[in-house]
Amino acid sequence: MKIYIIKKLNVICCLFAVLAYTAVNARPIVKIYADPKGKAEAKGTKNDPVNSISTALGLAKIQSNTGVQGISIVLRKGIYPIESTLEVVQGKTWHSSVPLSIEAYKKEEVILHGGRIISQDLITPVTDEAFGNRFIPEVRKKIRQVNLSDAGIREIGNLRPVGFGRPYGPAWMEIFINGLPGKVARWPNEGTVPIHSVIDTGSIPRRGDTTNRGGIFTYTETNRPSRWKEPGKVWISGFFMWGYAADAVPLKGIDTLNKTISTQIPTMYGYGSGKPWRAWYAYNLPEEIDLPGEYYVDEI
């Protein structure tokens, strides 16, 4: 009797499993197509694709409530501009038990682009003669400008202290030229300038001094800082005290007569001299654009 019941339950269970498997596989897997050349109001089919991933995700949310087995967003080749965060997290932005995948169509190249592509007609010679005179004469006529507002760029971010012990934060604007990253104009182009002597080490946050007082140090063997018209916009980076603690801080001013540099804020360990690594370089300087790929962003 016991053997008979067990066998009967096994048969029933097997039949149920077959029925369940058939029912699940009867549910469709929906494909939503996107193409940079598509339309925002499109249906999302292969012949009528939408034009963005975010629009495709919107259609996917609607389809997830129609009893489908799964949803696949299929991306055709091209560049997809991303102007805001795309987040797909179960229970947070994707409130569905339906599996979702995002994939390229076959082996087509798909690029998610978080930047702005600047049209060549917006790249023009420098029109402000007074500002243009700040550039090194040898390259003055080779420098080009872009009005960022004309390119639809409103947020450029802010340079901020970065280095050992500094908190993480949003990155500032970066320029890529022909696929290669540019570099904020700096001096010297390679290497660093020694800290000659320290007049005021400034406050030292690592020792608990929270007065946020910048330091003052001297430099020698160069008159290069005399060319910099707006020292308050200049930043310096280097190993100011210890060889493991790089830092970056904005300048407060430069006394070119006495060859002293003062900073707006302290470094984590203060400033020191007398060691080969205690040195700095300056960046964010239009006067120092002298190599292809170097640039300066004027915030005014």
Side-chain angles (χ1 to χ4, degrees):
M1 191 67 170
K2 290 181 180 178
I3 295 174
Y4 172 77
I5 293 174
I6 292 174
K7 286 184 176 179
K8 187 174 182 180
L9 286 174
N10 283 341
V11 172
I12 293 172
C13 289
C14 289
L15 287 173
F16 179 77
V18 171
L19 291 173
Y21 178 80
T22 303
V24 167
N25 281 272
R27 296 161 62 194
I29 296 178
V30 173
K31 291 187 177 182
I32 300 172
Y33 288 84
D35 190 316
K37 299 187 294 293
K39 299 178 181 179
E41 65 276 10
K43 297 178 180 179
T45 62
K46 187 174 183 180
N47 295 325
D48 189 22
V50 296
N51 63 351
S52 71
I53 300 174
S54 59
T55 302
L57 283 170
L59 292 179
K61 289 182 179 180
I62 296 173
Q63 290 286 350
S64 68
N65 297 318
T66 61
V68 298
Q69 180 182 346
I71 300 174
S72 177
I73 294 177
V74 182
L75 306 179
R76 301 305 304 264
K77 67 178 179 180
I79 298 175
Y80 292 79
I82 306 297
E83 297 186 359
S84 58
T85 301
L86 288 174
E87 186 178 46
V88 184
V89 179
Q90 179 64 43
K92 184 177 180 182
T93 59
W94 180 253
H95 298 282
S96 175
S97 60
V98 176
L100 171 70
S101 67
I102 303 175
E103 58 191 83
Y105 179 76
K106 296 184 176 179
K107 294 184 179 181
E108 293 184 349
E109 183 179 51
V110 173
I111 298 174
L112 275 62
H113 200 298
R116 291 293 186 95
I117 299 175
I118 297 176
S119 174
Q120 285 193 350
D121 60 353
L122 295 179
I123 304 174
T124 63
V126 178
T127 55
D128 187 328
E129 184 176 351
F131 196 91
N133 288 334
R134 296 175 62 177
F135 301 131
I136 297 172
E138 302 92 290
V139 298
R140 190 172 293 161
K141 293 184 179 180
K142 299 179 181 180
I143 295 175
R144 296 295 181 265
Q145 68 177 15
V146 174
N147 188 318
L148 295 180
S149 60
D150 290 345
I153 299 173
R154 301 290 185 272
E155 299 292 335
I156 63 173
N158 298 307
L159 295 174
R160 57 179 177 79
V162 292
F164 187 87
R166 297 289 188 184
Y168 294 107
W172 49 88
M173 189 183 77
E174 185 176 10
I175 294 177
F176 288 79
I177 304 168
N178 296 327
L180 298 175
K183 181 188 293 185
V184 179
R186 58 165 279 180
W187 178 85
N189 288 323
E190 300 291 340
T192 53
V193 181
I195 295 176
H196 180 255
S197 63
V198 177
I199 298 175
D200 183 351
T201 191
S203 59
I204 302 177
R206 279 296 189 188
R207 295 181 182 175
D209 188 340
T210 59
T211 57
N212 203 39
R213 183 168 51 85
I216 304 173
F217 62 86
T218 66
Y219 61 93
T220 60
E221 300 178 1
T222 182
N223 291 316
R224 194 78 173 200
S226 298
R227 299 186 62 252
W228 304 339
K229 302 299 182 183
E230 296 182 279
K233 293 184 178 180
V234 178
W235 284 68
I236 58 172
S237 181
F239 295 93
F240 299 112
M241 179 58 75
W242 303 118
Y244 58 82
D247 208 348
V249 293
L251 294 192
K252 182 179 181 180
I254 301 174
D255 183 340
T256 57
L257 181 62
N258 296 305
K259 292 190 174 182
T260 64
I261 287 177
S262 59
T263 65
Q264 294 184 31
I265 61 176
T267 65
M268 298 302 290
Y269 292 98
Y271 297 87
S273 61
K275 300 292 183 181
W277 64 79
R278 289 173 179 166
W280 56 278
Y281 68 87
Y283 61 99
N284 201 43
L285 293 152
E287 293 88 354
E288 298 301 339
I289 298 176
D290 62 349
L291 293 176
E294 280 194 315
Y295 65 91
Y296 170 79
V297 179
D298 188 3
E299 299 182 27
I300 61 172

